[in-house]
Amino acid sequence: MNSERIPRISVITPCYRHAEFLDKTIDSVLSQGYPRLEYIIIDGGSDDGSVEIIRKYAPHLAYWCSEPDRGQYDAINKGMARATGDVLCWLNSDDMYFPWTLRTVGSIFGQLPTVEWLTTLQPGFWDREGYCLGFENVAGISRQSFIEGCHAEGTGR
């Protein structure tokens, strides 16, 4: 993949007291070797060892901080405000990417400039050791329900 033709991807990981999972989460992003990665971690002031794990990876991060915030979405917004990528995404601190995720996303956005948003209707599920347990449909999620705003905050649907 020619790094001049692929988009810069900014991944934001919001974290709060997820030391148990955080190392595998960070590794799932960095181990992909995506050439135009900007990785940002926003920790909400964890006191469970999360900060020590983040410090271990600090040389590979574009930015990180650990300070009180107003929750997951505040942390995501802080990270997105700092992000400079062509593609913005977040990965929760207890989730992981498949090894091909960033190259696939980069390829899609690089080759199809009209694409503005990607998601899945069948996310993978992981065990505590980081092994994929399989895939399941997300109940009630569809393209049409998204367009209709069924899952927007405050809709009650």
Side-chain angles (χ1 to χ4, degrees):
M1 189 179 281
N2 182 341
S3 64
E4 293 177 16
R5 300 171 119 182
I6 61 171
R8 180 173 175 85
I9 298 178
S10 298
V11 177
I12 291 87
T13 294
C15 178
Y16 185 65
R17 294 185 178 160
H18 269 161
E20 178 181 0
F21 309 103
L22 189 57
D23 194 65
K24 289 190 184 322
T25 299
I26 295 171
D27 185 59
S28 83
V29 175
L30 296 177
S31 67
Q32 298 200 20
Y34 189 78
R36 300 199 63 213
L37 172 66
E38 176 183 55
Y39 194 19
I40 297 169
I41 300 177
I42 307 294
D43 179 76
S46 296
D47 58 3
D48 67 341
S50 293
V51 173
E52 289 73 20
I53 293 167
I54 297 167
R55 279 193 182 113
K56 178 173 82 171
Y57 290 99
H60 307 286
L61 303 177
Y63 176 80
W64 75 274
C65 69
S66 181
E67 60 191 21
D69 56 38
R70 294 185 312 271
Q72 176 183 6
Y73 296 108
D74 184 41
I76 292 167
N77 283 325
K78 282 182 187 180
M80 296 250 178
R82 286 195 162 269
T84 62
D86 305 302
V87 177
L88 305 178
C89 58
W90 81 85
L91 178 67
N92 293 329
S93 55
D94 61 348
D95 289 329
M96 296 189 316
Y97 283 144
F98 287 102
W100 58 85
T101 299
L102 295 180
R103 288 195 183 270
T104 301
V105 168
S107 178
I108 291 168
F109 279 101
Q111 294 177 34
L112 302 168
T114 59
V115 171
E116 296 180 3
W117 181 68
L118 293 175
T119 190
T120 183
L121 298 179
Q122 294 184 320
F125 292 91
W126 310 92
D127 69 12
R128 291 190 178 280
E129 285 75 45
Y131 294 103
C132 182
L133 298 173
F135 301 86
E136 293 182 18
N137 287 328
V138 176
I141 304 278
S142 69
R143 181 179 187 273
Q144 190 60 38
S145 68
F146 175 79
I147 290 169
E148 292 171 2
C150 293
H151 306 287
E153 191 172 328
T155 63
R157 301 190 273 169

